[in-house]
Amino acid sequence: MTAYDYLIPPYQALVDQMVVLTADSDWEMRRAYLSSIWASLERVDPPMDAPTELSLIIAGLVERLGEPEIDDSLQAGIYAASAKESHRSASADWFDHHPDDFAAIQARLTGGQTLH
């Protein structure tokens, strides 16, 4: 069973739409979509576990994209937030080979806030 299979149908539809809308885009465009999803998840009433939900959405998205090999720091940062261990492992491997990019992508993904 894939991470996509664990998503509720509205989230599956969201992932499918994102795949279509970003087919010719880069990871910056996908990051923008994921940021807007995060903001929406945080406003849901009753509150939900936004990090877990977004992590599953990311895993489903990466799966639906065919789990492309990581080729830049933004993509590695997005993979790091996936619910799927193989995506997080691929991210860690990429950053192991590109250590100077870690701080830069951390700041980019968090709007300049340092993660601890």
Side-chain angles (χ1 to χ4, degrees), residues 11-86:
Y11 291 167
Q12 287 178 338
L14 185 64
V15 166
D16 293 340
Q17 182 181 24
M18 204 177 340
V19 168
V20 170
L21 292 173
T22 66
D24 296 324
S25 300
D26 59 12
W27 286 94
E28 180 60 41
M29 180 62 72
R30 293 181 185 114
R31 186 210 54 80
Y33 276 103
L34 292 167
S35 293
S36 66
I37 292 168
W38 170 263
S40 296
L41 289 172
E42 288 193 315
R43 291 189 301 265
V44 172
D45 188 29
M48 60 189 336
D49 185 357
T52 298
E53 296 295 325
L54 185 61
S55 182
L56 284 168
I57 290 169
I58 291 169
L61 173 64
V62 172
E63 287 173 348
R64 295 306 255 195
L65 291 170
E67 299 179 312
E69 187 174 325
I70 296 173
D71 62 11
D72 69 33
S73 59
L74 182 56
Q75 182 184 3
I78 291 170
Y79 274 49
S82 173
K84 195 167 178 180
E85 192 283 325
S86 63

